Amino acid sequence: MDESVSLLASDGGGRGEELRLMLSDHGPPFRVEVTRESGVRTTYEGNTYGICLAKLQLDMEDEGLLLCCQGARPDTMSSSLLHASGGRHLYLVDPAAKKITDELVDIFDPAPYEAVATDAEQRKAFFDFTGMTDSGWQMPR
């Protein structure tokens, strides 16, 4: 059975919108259908829920909004095991200690605006944490 989730997209200054998401109950490909307050619907598809969320995140950023959810935090990281299980969860990381914690978060759970970041900020945080070099590759939309 499909699952319904609500997410807030905000600019941190008072402008925001509640998004209704309908998550497919199986995949891949996974599908996330987003209904805007205006009634406009957009479907995002990907090999994991995380890819669907990232595509939505980029669209919201184009409008000057950040998704207020755990999947938009810069202090999270996935793994191949989490990807293989659908990408619905992420590990929290401790950047100061350069350590991945044992705590898992659901990417669609709410997070305060102050805890989330843009896609570019998340990307920078990942490369800073891992010490790897960013090749500049961008996910196709």
Side-chain angles (χ1 to χ4, degrees), residues 17 20 34-42:
E17 179 177 354
R20 286 191 348 257
V34 178
T35 304
R36 307 284 301 263
E37 289 177 352
S38 66
V40 172
R41 289 185 179 159
T42 305

Side-chain angles (χ1 to χ4, degrees), residues 100-121:
I100 299 174
T101 72
D102 293 334
E103 187 175 352
L104 286 174
V105 294
D106 185 312
I107 63 173
F108 297 110
D109 281 350
Y113 180 84
E114 298 76 25
V116 300
T118 65
D119 177 70
E121 291 166 334

Side-chain angles (χ1 to χ4, degrees), residues 88-105:
R88 178 86 187 248
H89 295 91
L90 297 170
Y91 290 106
L92 287 181
V93 301
D94 180 346
K98 290 274 192 191
K99 169 180 156 180
I100 299 174
T101 72
D102 293 334
E103 187 175 352
L104 286 174
V105 294

Side-chain angles (χ1 to χ4, degrees), residues 7-9 19 22 26 30 33 37 56 64 74 78 81 85 89-90 94 113 125:
L7 285 185
L8 176 65
L19 309 173
M22 184 62 66
H26 64 281
F30 293 93
E33 182 181 280
E37 289 177 352
L56 169 60
S78 191
L81 181 61
S85 64
H89 295 91
L90 297 170
D94 180 346
Y113 180 84

Side-chain angles (χ1 to χ4, degrees), residues 5-61:
V5 175
S6 291
L7 285 185
L8 176 65
S10 175
D11 71 353
R15 186 170 70 99
E17 179 177 354
E18 187 166 334
L19 309 173
R20 286 191 348 257
L21 282 64
M22 184 62 66
L23 312 178
S24 63
D25 63 351
H26 64 281
F30 293 93
R31 288 181 187 82
V32 175
E33 182 181 280
V34 178
T35 304
R36 307 284 301 263
E37 289 177 352
S38 66
V40 172
R41 289 185 179 159
T42 305
T43 300
Y44 299 91
E45 190 173 286
N47 289 332
T48 67
Y49 284 116
I51 291 171
C52 298
L53 186 69
K55 290 176 180 181
L56 169 60
Q57 181 180 16
L58 290 170
D59 282 353
M60 291 297 98
E61 285 181 26

